[in-house]
Amino acid sequence: MALRILLADDHCIVRQGLRALLERAQFEVVAEASDGVEAVRLAESLKPDIAVLDLVMPTLNGLDAGRQIIQRTATAVILLTMQTGEHHVAAALRAGIRGYLVKSQAAEDLVHAIKHAARGQIFLSPEVS
């Protein structure tokens, strides 16, 4: 059975690209959200295995949305971002985020991060690890 994925990014073209990448890798994208509030609502109702969230989104950022998703569901959360600052990575790990990926390498690492998160492991982009 394919892992069920929720995508959240405020850029439609990014979501479309991520969906295509994940579907080629045999994952099932069950929903897409354009902001953090919508991502939390969809995670609560659909209970995906993994939520892939952009860190910078309107209304509710990916870190705060991820915290809520982790508190309210059994969904593992992976963040996608351009932010490589140590304080961002540390905050994500403290929140229980299972993956922290830098967007410049996300296509290469995203499939690995999802598989790690599904096993309860943490995956960090090489740039931040």
Side-chain angles (χ1 to χ4, degrees), residues 105-124:
Q105 298 189 336
E108 300 166 14
D109 293 340
L110 185 55
V111 170
H112 296 299
I114 289 171
K115 290 178 180 179
H116 276 73
R119 292 190 301 261
Q121 300 170 334
I122 294 172
F123 185 94
L124 303 175

Side-chain angles (χ1 to χ4, degrees), residues 53 55 61-64 66-67 70 77-81 83 85-101 122-124 128:
L53 311 176
L55 179 61
N61 69 50
L63 180 58
D64 291 336
R67 282 188 184 109
I70 290 165
V77 176
I78 295 171
L79 290 180
L80 288 175
T81 183
Q83 307 297 321
E86 191 174 307
H87 63 284
H88 290 293
V89 178
L93 294 174
R94 281 193 302 273
I97 303 298
R98 291 279 167 202
Y100 193 96
L101 301 178
I122 294 172
F123 185 94
L124 303 175
V128 297

